[in-house]
Amino acid sequence: MVVVTNSQMKQIEENSLKYSMSMKRLMENAGSAAAMFIRRTMEVDGKFCTVFCGRGNNGGDGLVVARKLYESGANVVVVLTDGDPATDQAKEMMELIAPMDVALVYYEKEDPAYLKERLEATDIIVDAIYGTGFHGQLDEKHRKICELINGTTAQVIALDVPSGVTCDTGFADEYAVIADMTIAFDSYKPLHVLPVSVGYCGEIKTADIGIPPQAHEGIEGQFILVDNEFVFSRLPKRRRDSHKGSYGKLLNIAGSQKYMGAAILSTMAAMRAGAGYVTLASTKEVCRTALPSLLEAVMLPLKQGKEGHISYESLPEILEALENSTALLIGNGLDVTQDTCRLVYEVLKNAKCPVIVDGDGINVISRNIDILKQTNCNIVLTPHMKELSRLTTLPIEQLKQDRYTIGANFAREYGCTVVMKDAYTATAGADGRMYINTTGNAGMAKAGSGDVLAGIIGGLAAQGIDLVTAAAAGAYLHGLAGNYAACKYSQYGMLPREIIDQLPKVFLHNDR
Ligand SMILES: NC(=O)C1=CN([C@@H]2O[C@H](COP(=O)(O)OP(=O)(O)OC[C@H]3O[C@@H](n4cnc5c(N)ncnc54)[C@H](O)[C@@H]3O)[C@@H](O)[C@H]2O)[C@H](O)CC1
Ligand SMILES: [K+]
């Protein structure tokens, strides 16, 4: 799903006028679609509905909803929060509703006691105070209104945007409306996917408001919400006449005496993601220990260094294996030693296939970031917040506030893809596009989950799926399999290995 910014939405709206659409019809369609969603979700006939309308076009949509809910049998009161409508379309909607038996009250003129009483009896509140036109903070009056709305037990339906949330940044005033459902008109906007604001939206529905598809042409989404359609339209079905060589060879350089599990989890995940061959390159001890869990993997046992890591002397064997690989995964459980630093740098300088760098691989790169500029391959980095902080040398607090801009700038500067792992993982492409993932749950916040994600991305990349897609789709599949695992084993009880076990179910449900 493509996410459009406020100015892109305005452009789409304007384009649609070229296809005999009018602003008035768009508003009528938006209000009708919203009323339909409300009717589908809850009983409306005989219910008390209070519609809060601002002066802009969002308020105009609210007036249409008020009319439609009244026609469906609801007892409707419209509260005009800022006086009469200011835009031409909204004024027309006001004229249409005037003759109906819908009470129109002016917030400033109304007795606060009446409003309080009305809200106590209200079943459904429609928030049409501010839409995409809002930015910044709410003033005192609007904070009071939003506080009233948030203080009721009614179902709160926000039109397009919960009032008080800024469309493009997702920044929410501390008193912003907290909706049970938000009806996004035509397209998702950044606030509908950004972690800072999704919590204000409740359930999000998109309403077709009659904008012709041609009006979207040439609009390139900068934020892309990764969904089932995105992922499975990019993961081809396996051909009946194919063979294991058709699905690539992943070389996974992972593990050390201290972190054996990372090698097992990442290798297993890559195999479960569909790769034809997966080779685990690790110390002899890790390979021997991992073998019983990794019957289908190829083992490349290497010399062990003094600290239990892969010895630098193994470089020639690794480079030879790299020659035949279609993707490289490096870093899971490698440990950070002088040897691993040299090893990772040399391997990166020599790699020609797509490379995924995770865990200690990232920590090693953070010590010498310019190595990223000395490579001849496409690279995905998969840092969590702490690792991103090491990579960018920025404090975590700053990253939390502005990770989209910082991540996109980093990806652009170093020409790589950055999977920023968090509760809502976002993948920044080198072209500055941001792929937002919303699958996953708190049960995945356990050591080993990252190894599984890296393995999935590696497995997909080995099959020839382009690296940005492998990264964004990998995060989605990982989260969805994690959700299945939580359903089976609970968020408390689930283990990262069970995310791998659930991956086949995700594929099965999507006919892969
Ligand atoms: N996109 C479409 O095709 C359609 C969208 N519709 C609806 O229109 C709104 C956007 O309407 P707009 O009139 O541009 O803005 P708002 O209604 O959100 O009104 C904002 C209003 O408030 C002012 N303002 C902005 N920030 C602040 C602030 N911090 N404090 C006070 N006032 C502020 C701003 O200047 C505006 O005047 C969209 O969301 C849809 O709901 C159409 O109806 C259908 C087609
Ligand atoms: K609104």
Side-chain angles (χ1 to χ4, degrees), residues 13-84:
E13 202 179 291
E14 214 161 276
N15 293 349
S16 74
L17 304 183
K18 291 183 212 146
Y19 300 96
S20 63
M21 184 43 85
S22 71
M23 284 302 294
K24 186 183 165 189
R25 266 180 64 206
L26 284 178
M27 185 174 278
E28 182 71 26
N29 290 349
S32 302
M36 185 194 70
F37 273 123
I38 296 170
R39 278 197 306 267
R40 268 197 206 154
T41 317
M42 56 200 80
E43 182 65 45
V44 165
D45 191 7
K47 299 288 177 190
F48 281 51
C49 304
T50 305
V51 184
F52 286 85
C53 296
R55 298 183 75 208
N57 287 328
N58 196 252
D61 300 339
L63 291 169
V64 178
V65 174
R67 174 154 49 84
K68 298 282 167 186
L69 293 183
Y70 168 77
E71 284 166 356
S72 300
N75 171 312
V76 182
V77 168
V78 170
V79 181
L80 298 163
T81 57
D82 300 283
D84 286 322

Side-chain angles (χ1 to χ4, degrees), residues 58 127-131 158-163:
N58 196 252
D127 160 28
I129 306 171
Y130 292 125
L159 301 189
D160 215 15
V161 177
S163 297

Side-chain angles (χ1 to χ4, degrees), residues 53-56 59-60 63 80 82-95 106:
C53 296
R55 298 183 75 208
L63 291 169
L80 298 163
D82 300 283
D84 286 322
T87 73
D88 292 345
Q89 309 77 257
K91 281 178 190 163
E92 288 190 58
M93 297 312 168
M94 184 77 165
E95 280 167 24
Y106 290 86

Side-chain angles (χ1 to χ4, degrees), residues 408-477:
N409 287 344
F410 184 92
R412 253 193 229 111
E413 180 175 355
Y414 292 99
C416 57
T417 298
V418 186
V419 180
M420 298 184 282
K421 293 187 292 199
D422 200 16
Y424 290 90
T425 292
T427 299
D431 61 359
R433 288 210 199 168
M434 194 61 66
Y435 300 81
I436 310 285
N437 184 58
T438 58
T439 59
N441 63 79
M444 300 170 77
K446 285 171 191 165
S449 277
D451 300 315
V452 174
L453 172 63
I456 295 174
I457 299 172
L460 296 176
Q463 294 170 68
I465 291 160
D466 82 82
L467 216 42
V468 180
T469 301
Y476 177 86
L477 296 169

